Amino acid sequence: MDVSAGADRATTSRAPAEQRLHDLDALRGFALLGIFVVNITFMASGYPGNLTTDPAFSSVLDDAARLLSAVFVDMKFYILFSFLFGYSFTLQMRAAERAGAAFGPRMLRRIAGLLILGALHTVLLYSGDILMTYAVVGVVLLAMRRVRDRTVLRVASLLYGIVLLSLLASGFFVNSAAFLPTRAEAMANAEKATAAMLGGWGDVIGHHLSGLPLLVLQSATFQGPTALAMFLLGMVAGRRRLLAGVSGHEPALRRIQWVGFPVGIAGGVLYALGGGNGEPLAVSVSAATAPLLTAAYVATLLRMMHSPRWGFVRSALAPAGRIALTNYLGQSLLGLLIFTGIGLGLAGSVSPVGTTGLAVLSYAVQLAVSAWWLRQHRYGPAEWALRRLTIGRTAGTGANSSG
């Protein structure tokens, strides 16, 4: 996800209006909510990470919360963040050109910063980190920055097609029972993981590190190729400035809604009823249809943000998206303090309805805090650190700093 885009805000703040895309910030801010709704379930219990359901939370409301997340949230916001990373990549290229700086070394320093932050994030806060994957895949994006749009689109389509075909092949020809634990083993592993989350620093870090093999496997087989495909699509969209000058009245936005919502929701229902993340065929349906629902969300937000009646939505969301890296890490810190033994020790005690409510409430607080922070500072703390590494000179944090 493009959680780091705000780090170059000072550079782009003096750029033309089309490069100060408040819409882009707002979309990124919106995606933060979906990311947290998904991540908090893994922060709150060891059961989701072991592809099983906590028997303590099997009420109708709990099942409904899981179903709604599977249909409307899972995968959709990861795709959006990845697309926005690619789009913002083109803005960073233009910023480097205006500054007379060599973009390659500058971006490599930025990628190194994301890798370092991701490693610290994984060990200390949350084992479901995406920053390290973004850093590795970002190197490929950097290498392809001069490739023609047509070729980029073909590569993106090929990558996503390979992901879908591999999922279908796994579903039809691979016996998952041969390498996945039995339900009894999964339940035992989930209980053990939850107990580790309730321990001290050593237990929590050990729990995070124990998930690294699975994280690497997912990144190599699914998340990495998917992210790269979305990076490339976002880069093409950024080159063509597709989000610049949007009025909200474009017929294409309505067409995206008419196609994206029914197809995307139907795919989400099939994904949920087909077994969710534990079933490759169900995941393949989600992977095939989630981009359409994501596009429908984007089209809806763009229409809302450019209407007189709903224009306040952009003002509410944009500050959070502007310091998305800080907010993303802040969400993980909050999960650590609420659920692990380092903090309140509520792991295994909060239902799916409760975790969703916590995510929404925390997100509302982040919106307010982000707006307050940016009235006094140019960057979020994490954005400042990443900018310092990227540009190689100290950047003032005050609201009136020239950067």
Side-chain angles (χ1 to χ4, degrees):
M1 67 188 154
D2 185 21
V3 291
S4 65
D8 279 338
R9 181 62 56 178
T11 304
T12 58
S13 65
R14 294 185 293 273
E18 64 94 6
Q19 292 178 334
R20 297 178 57 199
L21 290 174
H22 296 298
D23 287 354
L24 197 66
D25 286 334
L27 291 172
R28 194 180 298 111
F30 171 66
L32 279 169
L33 173 59
I35 292 294
F36 197 27
V37 168
V38 172
N39 285 351
I40 197 172
T41 62
F42 294 90
M43 298 173 184
S45 168
Y47 286 85
N50 284 279
L51 303 179
T52 188
T53 301
D54 189 340
F57 302 112
S58 56
S59 69
V60 173
L61 283 177
D62 292 327
D63 290 339
R66 295 187 188 99
L67 176 65
L68 290 173
S69 179
V71 173
F72 294 102
V73 183
D74 291 7
M75 268 199 73
K76 287 75 176 178
F77 293 88
Y78 169 73
I79 287 173
L80 177 55
F81 262 103
S82 300
F83 175 86
L84 295 175
F85 186 103
Y87 198 107
S88 295
F89 178 82
T90 64
L91 301 184
Q92 293 155 14
M93 289 181 67
R94 293 170 197 151
E97 183 180 355
R98 288 192 303 274
F103 180 69
R106 191 176 193 177
M107 190 64 189
L108 285 174
R109 290 193 297 270
R110 187 185 193 87
I111 288 170
L114 285 178
L115 189 64
I116 293 169
L117 285 174
L120 293 173
H121 179 228
T122 300
V123 174
L124 299 176
L125 299 180
Y126 173 52
S127 59
D129 170 76
I130 197 61
L131 297 179
M132 289 191 294
T133 299
Y134 272 33
V136 173
V137 176
V139 175
V140 182
L141 180 68
L142 178 64
M144 294 187 64
R145 68 187 184 278
R146 295 190 180 93
V147 177
R148 294 184 305 171
D149 285 358
R150 181 177 298 182
T151 303
V152 169
L153 293 175
R154 287 174 178 170
V155 172
S157 299
L158 178 63
L159 281 169
Y160 212 72
I162 291 172
V163 169
L164 291 176
L165 287 175
S166 65
L167 289 169
L168 289 171
S170 297
F172 283 117
F173 303 115
V174 177
N175 179 14
S176 59
F179 56 88
L180 287 178
T182 65
R183 175 170 172 75
E185 290 171 336
M187 294 291 285
N189 292 337
E191 292 176 5
K192 182 179 178 181
T194 303
M197 294 167 68
L198 292 171
W201 272 111
D203 297 305
V204 171
I205 291 176
H207 169 66
H208 293 167
L209 293 177
S210 69
L212 275 178
L214 180 59
L215 180 65
V216 172
L217 178 63
Q218 288 179 330
S219 296
T221 60
F222 182 75
Q223 287 186 331
T226 300
L228 180 55
M230 294 300 119
F231 282 9
L232 295 173
L233 292 178
M235 182 173 70
V236 172
R239 286 173 175 176
R240 300 183 180 188
R241 296 175 169 87
L242 293 187
L243 294 180
V246 173
S247 69
H249 303 294
E250 290 82 1
L253 297 179
R254 296 184 182 88
R255 288 195 291 269
I256 290 171
Q257 289 175 302
W258 279 108
V259 174
F261 278 121
V263 176
I265 292 172
V269 170
L270 290 174
Y271 161 71
L273 299 181
N277 285 335
E279 297 294 334
L281 288 179
V283 177
S284 70
V285 172
S286 179
T289 58
L292 295 173
L293 187 53
T294 300
Y297 287 157
V298 171
T300 302
L301 269 177
L302 289 173
R303 293 188 66 189
M304 291 175 64
M305 292 188 297
H306 289 275
S307 72
R309 187 174 183 179
W310 295 97
F312 68 89
V313 171
R314 177 170 53 187
S315 300
L317 296 176
R322 185 170 160 182
I323 55 172
L325 179 57
T326 294
N327 281 320
Y328 171 68
L329 297 174
Q331 289 173 350
S332 297
L333 176 61
L334 189 62
L336 185 82
L337 294 177
I338 291 176
F339 297 111
T340 72
I342 296 168
L344 299 178
L346 296 182
S349 303
V350 184
S351 70
V353 174
T355 57
T356 302
L358 272 173
V360 173
L361 178 61
S362 302
Y363 176 73
V365 172
Q366 283 191 310
L367 292 182
V369 171
S370 297
W372 168 79
W373 179 270
L374 288 173
R375 285 195 292 269
Q376 305 176 64
H377 304 277
R378 189 179 296 278
Y379 313 103
E383 285 76 15
W384 179 87
L386 187 59
R387 176 180 168 82
R388 176 70 179 86
L389 179 61
T390 300
I391 297 180
R393 63 174 184 270
T394 302
T397 58
N400 296 320
S401 169
S402 64

